[in-house]
Amino acid sequence: MKKTLRVVVVDDSPLMRKLLTSIINAEPDMEVVGAAPDPLAARELIRTLSPDAITLDIEMPRMNGLDFLDKLMRLKPTPVIMISTLTGAGSDTALRAMELGAVDCVAKPRDLQRGLREAGEEIIEKLRMAAGARLSLRQPRAASPSVAKPLPVIAGVSSNIMHTRLIAIGASTGGTQALQTVLLGLPAEMPPIVVVQHMPPAFTQPFANRLNGICALTIKEAEHGERLRPGHVYIAPGDYHLALEREAGHLCCRLLATERVNRHRPAVDVLFHSIAQLSAKRTVGVILTGMGADGAQGMLAMKQAGAYNLAQDEDSCVVFGMPKEAVRTGAVDEVLPLDAIAAGILRQLRE
């Protein structure tokens, strides 16, 4: 079988380069076509070889991995998977990498010999996904966004709706930026919004904090048993499913450490199925960019129970997998480009 996915490995550790090369070359459809100890050496390899995907460390000599990623996405956008110790403990750094254009991140294990081989399946899966990701030229780095000014209340949305409706959003690969785009387009006065974004445990709290600092809405990591409130966004914590339950007439968060669903925890399907059983007629469902099919069956259950569902279109997705599956199952009422989804949500609230 011809090797169809060509990878360049960038890491200052000779052992890491050797192990990653071994893991990738063991796959029948991919091969490492070049390996570099630092970004300056990598630059020449990438220019010459035009790889389909790159693995990139963060802490390296001669140039920081984030600085290199920023330059790469502005000059020659190429799918990048960050593999670094900082992507685990330094979740803020990993989030910054995804803001700069990395498709996804994998935490580098402390015991490389043993841990990296255990993480091999995840690395291979993410490289295959990254190779098919949609990328665009990144504009020169802008100043960090300031706190957003509260948007005006949208005409035609009554205060009663804030307490009786619900927005439910699912996302995966590319979702950190997609969610930011959607939430920045919504005013402070909104019904409760519940979100499942596929993320490791250390990532969701910093992610919620970052969004809370720039959006009009109040955004937080969901807590077990807390009651949903208007104007708030609740993000499922990494490694816990988020479901909703009704208690004393109010919708509340329920966090579950049960088995993975669709290989994920949190899983979008868990949240969507719980809504289908409780309050789907008052729900607007949204499925954003992501690999796989998580959320499709749950969104279908919501639609069958009366929800109105939106999906991000293929052209604006980093990976069209999750929206594509939701559309295929008949779960979606409307397909919209990313920058029209916030308006689509508000339109449904008016109606």
Side-chain angles (χ1 to χ4, degrees), residues 1-8 20-33 52-53 55 120-131:
M1 179 178 179
K2 183 180 179 181
K3 302 275 189 175
T4 56
L5 201 163
R6 303 164 69 253
V7 181
V8 164
L20 280 173
T21 298
S22 175
I23 290 167
I24 293 166
N25 285 346
E27 297 300 309
D29 61 331
M30 61 176 64
E31 66 175 331
V32 172
V33 293
D52 301 301
T55 71
E121 184 177 341
E122 179 186 7
I123 292 168
I124 294 301
E125 178 185 53
K126 290 187 174 182
L127 279 171
R128 287 199 179 102
M129 171 272 299

Side-chain angles (χ1 to χ4, degrees), residues 85-154:
T85 51
L86 293 182
T87 61
S91 50
D92 277 328
T93 305
L95 290 171
R96 178 61 183 152
M98 287 187 276
E99 287 176 359
L100 290 171
V103 176
D104 215 329
C105 297
V106 177
K108 183 189 292 186
R110 296 190 179 190
D111 183 344
L112 288 184
Q113 291 276 15
R114 176 180 169 185
L116 192 61
R117 294 195 180 278
E118 292 176 354
E121 184 177 341
E122 179 186 7
I123 292 168
I124 294 301
E125 178 185 53
K126 290 187 174 182
L127 279 171
R128 287 199 179 102
M129 171 272 299
R134 290 171 175 265
L135 301 177
S136 58
L137 277 170
R138 178 179 173 80
Q139 298 305 311
R141 184 184 297 183
S144 298
S146 58
V147 176
K149 295 180 180 179
L151 299 173
V153 177
I154 304 301

Side-chain angles (χ1 to χ4, degrees), residues 172-208:
S172 186
T173 310
T176 56
Q177 290 305 103
L179 278 167
Q180 178 173 307
T181 298
V182 172
L183 295 177
L184 279 171
L186 298 175
E189 294 189 36
M190 285 289 292
I193 300 173
V194 285
V195 174
V196 168
Q197 161 72 48
H198 295 158
M199 277 185 153
F203 284 48
T204 44
Q205 183 66 63
F207 179 54

Side-chain angles (χ1 to χ4, degrees), residues 186-268:
L186 298 175
E189 294 189 36
M190 285 289 292
I193 300 173
V194 285
V195 174
V196 168
Q197 161 72 48
H198 295 158
M199 277 185 153
F203 284 48
T204 44
Q205 183 66 63
F207 179 54
N209 292 344
R210 276 173 172 249
L211 291 177
N212 189 56
I214 61 172
C215 295
L217 292 151
T218 298
I219 302 172
K220 68 186 298 294
E221 194 178 53
E223 298 178 52
H224 185 72
E226 74 176 315
R227 182 182 297 181
L228 299 190
R229 298 165 57 196
H232 285 64
V233 180
Y234 302 88
I235 296 178
D239 214 27
Y240 285 92
H241 294 305
L242 172 62
L244 299 186
E245 60 183 2
R246 195 174 297 281
E247 186 175 295
H250 297 280
L251 289 177
C252 298
C253 296
R254 186 181 180 197
L255 302 184
L256 307 168
T258 50
E259 292 297 316
R260 294 177 180 271
V261 174
N262 304 319
R263 297 196 299 174
H264 295 289
R265 191 172 64 214
V268 181

Side-chain angles (χ1 to χ4, degrees), residues 59-109:
E59 291 187 314
M60 288 180 291
R62 301 215 285 175
M63 183 184 291
N64 180 280
L66 292 182
D67 292 337
F68 177 66
L69 178 65
D70 185 34
K71 295 178 186 297
L72 179 69
M73 291 302 161
R74 286 192 280 112
L75 299 173
K76 186 179 176 60
T78 306
V80 171
I81 299 295
M82 306 301 294
I83 304 179
S84 172
T85 51
L86 293 182
T87 61
S91 50
D92 277 328
T93 305
L95 290 171
R96 178 61 183 152
M98 287 187 276
E99 287 176 359
L100 290 171
V103 176
D104 215 329
C105 297
V106 177
K108 183 189 292 186

